[in-house]
Amino acid sequence: MHIIVVGNSGTGKSTLSKKIVRITDYPLLHLDSLWHTTDYSDDAKQWFDQQQVLFMNQKNWIIDGNYSRTMDIRIPQADIIILLRVSKIKSLCRVLKRSLLWRIDKRSRDDMPEQFNEHLDSDYFEFLKMIFSYDGDRLLGLIEKYQKPDTQLLVITNNRAKRRLLKSL
Protein backbone atom coordinates (compact mmCIF):
# COMPACT_ATOMS: atom_id res chain seq x y z
CA MET A 1 0.00 0.00 0.00
CA HIS A 2 1.31 3.43 -0.98
CA ILE A 3 -0.23 6.42 0.80
CA ILE A 4 0.43 10.13 0.36
CA VAL A 5 -0.91 12.78 2.69
CA VAL A 6 -1.16 16.29 1.27
CA GLY A 7 -2.76 19.62 2.15
CA ASN A 8 -1.92 23.14 3.22
CA SER A 9 0.56 23.70 6.02
CA GLY A 10 -1.17 23.39 9.36
CA THR A 11 -3.83 20.91 8.23
CA GLY A 12 -2.40 18.05 10.30
CA LYS A 13 -0.55 16.03 7.66
CA SER A 14 2.30 14.95 9.94
CA THR A 15 0.04 14.21 12.89
CA LEU A 16 -2.29 12.08 10.77
CA SER A 17 0.62 10.33 9.06
CA LYS A 18 2.12 9.33 12.41
CA LYS A 19 -1.24 7.91 13.51
CA ILE A 20 -1.48 5.89 10.29
CA VAL A 21 2.03 4.54 10.94
CA ARG A 22 0.95 3.37 14.41
CA ILE A 23 -1.84 1.36 12.80
CA THR A 24 -0.06 0.05 9.69
CA ASP A 25 3.60 0.01 10.74
CA TYR A 26 4.47 1.32 7.25
CA PRO A 27 7.63 3.37 6.82
CA LEU A 28 6.99 7.13 6.80
CA LEU A 29 8.81 9.87 4.94
CA HIS A 30 8.18 13.44 6.11
CA LEU A 31 9.16 15.54 3.11
CA ASP A 32 9.83 18.53 5.38
CA SER A 33 12.42 16.56 7.33
CA LEU A 34 14.10 15.63 4.07
CA TRP A 35 14.00 19.05 2.40
CA HIS A 36 15.11 21.01 5.45
CA THR A 37 18.35 19.03 5.67
CA THR A 38 19.47 20.62 2.39
CA ASP A 39 20.88 23.96 1.32
CA TYR A 40 17.82 24.47 -0.98
CA SER A 41 20.01 24.60 -4.11
CA ASP A 42 19.35 23.06 -7.52
CA ASP A 43 21.56 20.13 -6.50
CA ALA A 44 19.45 19.78 -3.36
CA LYS A 45 16.30 19.59 -5.48
CA GLN A 46 17.78 16.77 -7.52
CA TRP A 47 18.82 14.93 -4.35
CA PHE A 48 15.35 15.51 -2.84
CA ASP A 49 13.71 13.95 -5.90
CA GLN A 50 16.07 10.96 -5.84
CA GLN A 51 15.43 10.33 -2.15
CA GLN A 52 11.69 10.18 -2.78
CA VAL A 53 12.16 7.69 -5.61
CA LEU A 54 14.43 5.53 -3.44
CA PHE A 55 11.92 5.60 -0.58
CA MET A 56 9.10 4.56 -2.92
CA ASN A 57 10.97 1.38 -3.89
CA GLN A 58 9.59 -0.23 -0.72
CA LYS A 59 6.55 -2.49 -0.68
CA ASN A 60 4.53 -0.18 1.59
CA TRP A 61 5.03 3.46 2.47
CA ILE A 62 3.50 6.74 3.59
CA ILE A 63 4.75 10.11 2.37
CA ASP A 64 3.61 13.27 4.10
CA GLY A 65 4.03 16.68 2.47
CA ASN A 66 3.13 18.84 -0.47
CA TYR A 67 6.08 20.05 -2.53
CA SER A 68 4.00 20.39 -5.68
CA ARG A 69 7.14 20.35 -7.82
CA THR A 70 7.45 16.61 -7.10
CA MET A 71 3.79 15.59 -7.20
CA ASP A 72 4.40 13.95 -10.58
CA ILE A 73 6.82 11.57 -8.83
CA ARG A 74 4.54 10.55 -5.96
CA ILE A 75 0.95 10.70 -7.18
CA PRO A 76 1.28 8.03 -9.92
CA GLN A 77 2.66 5.62 -7.29
CA ALA A 78 -0.07 6.24 -4.70
CA ASP A 79 -2.86 3.79 -3.95
CA ILE A 80 -4.47 6.22 -1.50
CA ILE A 81 -4.21 10.00 -1.55
CA ILE A 82 -5.39 11.73 1.59
CA LEU A 83 -6.10 15.41 0.98
CA LEU A 84 -6.55 17.41 4.16
CA ARG A 85 -8.60 20.56 3.80
CA VAL A 86 -9.30 23.07 6.55
CA SER A 87 -9.85 26.81 6.41
CA LYS A 88 -6.83 28.97 5.75
CA ILE A 89 -7.42 30.78 9.05
CA LYS A 90 -7.36 27.49 10.94
CA SER A 91 -4.19 26.42 9.09
CA LEU A 92 -2.54 29.73 9.89
CA CYS A 93 -3.48 29.51 13.58
CA ARG A 94 -2.15 25.95 13.80
CA VAL A 95 1.15 26.95 12.21
CA LEU A 96 1.56 29.89 14.59
CA LYS A 97 0.79 27.62 17.56
CA ARG A 98 3.22 24.99 16.25
CA SER A 99 5.93 27.65 15.91
CA LEU A 100 5.39 28.86 19.46
CA LEU A 101 5.47 25.32 20.86
CA TRP A 102 8.67 24.62 18.92
CA ARG A 103 10.30 27.66 20.52
CA ILE A 104 9.46 26.21 23.94
CA ASP A 105 10.37 22.59 23.15
CA LYS A 106 12.33 21.59 20.03
CA ARG A 107 11.08 18.02 20.46
CA SER A 108 7.56 19.17 19.61
CA ARG A 109 8.46 18.93 15.90
CA ASP A 110 9.87 15.43 15.56
CA ASP A 111 8.95 15.58 11.88
CA MET A 112 11.66 18.20 11.33
CA PRO A 113 15.42 17.61 11.17
CA GLU A 114 17.47 18.48 14.23
CA GLN A 115 19.28 21.32 12.46
CA PHE A 116 16.01 22.99 11.42
CA ASN A 117 15.86 26.53 12.68
CA GLU A 118 12.86 28.78 12.35
CA HIS A 119 13.22 32.54 12.71
CA LEU A 120 10.61 35.24 12.87
CA ASP A 121 12.03 36.89 9.79
CA SER A 122 10.94 37.82 6.28
CA ASP A 123 11.14 34.16 5.15
CA TYR A 124 8.79 33.13 7.95
CA PHE A 125 6.32 35.87 7.01
CA GLU A 126 6.51 34.76 3.37
CA PHE A 127 5.71 31.24 4.58
CA LEU A 128 2.67 32.55 6.48
CA LYS A 129 1.60 34.46 3.38
CA MET A 130 1.92 31.25 1.35
CA ILE A 131 -0.42 29.48 3.77
CA PHE A 132 -3.00 32.19 3.35
CA SER A 133 -2.69 32.21 -0.45
CA TYR A 134 -2.63 28.39 -0.72
CA ASP A 135 -4.53 27.11 -3.75
CA GLY A 136 -6.18 23.81 -2.83
CA ASP A 137 -7.84 23.61 -6.23
CA ARG A 138 -4.41 23.65 -7.92
CA LEU A 139 -3.37 20.70 -5.76
CA LEU A 140 -6.59 18.89 -6.62
CA GLY A 141 -5.81 19.52 -10.29
CA LEU A 142 -2.37 17.94 -9.90
CA ILE A 143 -3.92 14.94 -8.19
CA GLU A 144 -6.45 14.51 -11.01
CA LYS A 145 -3.71 14.92 -13.61
CA TYR A 146 -1.30 12.30 -12.20
CA GLN A 147 -3.37 9.77 -10.27
CA LYS A 148 -3.96 6.23 -11.51
CA PRO A 149 -7.58 5.35 -12.32
CA ASP A 150 -7.83 3.03 -9.30
CA THR A 151 -6.26 5.45 -6.82
CA GLN A 152 -8.53 6.25 -3.90
CA LEU A 153 -8.79 9.98 -3.13
CA LEU A 154 -9.98 10.78 0.38
CA VAL A 155 -10.76 14.43 1.10
CA ILE A 156 -10.73 14.99 4.86
CA THR A 157 -12.20 18.23 6.19
CA ASN A 158 -12.65 17.61 9.92
CA ASN A 159 -11.52 15.53 12.89
CA ARG A 160 -14.53 13.22 12.68
CA ALA A 161 -13.52 12.23 9.15
CA LYS A 162 -9.92 11.67 10.35
CA ARG A 163 -11.19 9.33 13.10
CA ARG A 164 -13.34 7.41 10.59
CA LEU A 165 -10.33 7.03 8.30
CA LEU A 166 -8.15 5.70 11.12
CA LYS A 167 -10.84 3.21 12.17
CA SER A 168 -11.15 1.98 8.59
CA LEU A 169 -7.42 1.17 8.48
Side-chain angles (χ1 to χ4, degrees):
M1 183 66 58
H2 303 143
I3 302 169
I4 62 173
V5 183
V6 294
N8 198 358
S9 295
T11 57
K13 295 181 300 293
S14 296
T15 302
L16 180 62
S17 296
K18 287 184 259 188
K19 288 178 181 180
I20 294 171
V21 166
R22 281 188 228 123
I23 293 167
T24 63
D25 202 32
Y26 292 169
L28 169 62
L29 176 62
H30 292 288
L31 292 180
D32 280 347
S33 69
L34 193 63
W35 180 243
H36 292 296
T37 61
T38 73
D39 62 3
Y40 313 115
S41 66
D42 287 338
D43 287 342
K45 289 177 184 176
Q46 189 174 23
W47 176 84
F48 182 70
D49 298 357
Q50 291 168 344
Q51 293 305 305
Q52 289 177 69
V53 171
L54 287 172
F55 184 81
M56 291 187 296
N57 284 330
Q58 302 174 77
K59 180 179 179 184
N60 298 306
W61 49 257
I62 302 165
I63 299 177
D64 137 36
N66 279 340
Y67 297 88
S68 59
R69 186 185 63 75
T70 64
M71 287 291 181
D72 63 326
I73 296 171
R74 287 173 277 135
I75 291 173
Q77 303 300 317
D79 300 308
I80 299 174
I81 299 170
I82 302 169
L83 172 59
L84 299 179
R85 291 189 118 165
V86 300
S87 76
K88 292 176 184 180
I89 297 294
K90 191 173 207 172
S91 290
L92 197 59
C93 289
R94 286 177 174 177
V95 166
L96 290 169
K97 178 182 175 186
R98 177 177 78 192
S99 293
L100 290 172
L101 288 174
W102 181 79
R103 290 191 175 294
I104 295 166
D105 181 4
K106 304 287 189 236
R107 294 170 297 173
S108 67
R109 298 281 321 265
D110 62 353
D111 56 316
M112 296 301 278
E114 203 172 293
Q115 70 269 26
F116 175 72
N117 203 352
E118 187 174 71
H119 300 282
L120 294 176
D121 59 10
S122 61
D123 287 340
Y124 184 76
F125 291 108
E126 283 300 313
F127 172 63
L128 295 178
K129 201 163 96 176
M130 181 201 67
I131 293 167
F132 204 70
S133 63
Y134 176 79
D135 187 354
D137 292 335
R138 180 177 177 274
L139 176 58
L140 198 51
L142 289 171
I143 291 169
E144 291 169 355
K145 179 178 180 179
Y146 295 118
Q147 76 181 35
K148 301 178 294 192
D150 60 340
T151 300
Q152 188 177 7
L153 173 62
L154 305 172
V155 180
I156 307 290
T157 59
N158 58 49
N159 287 333
R160 189 173 346 122
K162 285 180 189 176
R163 286 191 297 274
R164 276 197 310 268
L165 167 67
L166 293 170
K167 280 184 183 181
S168 73
L169 295 173

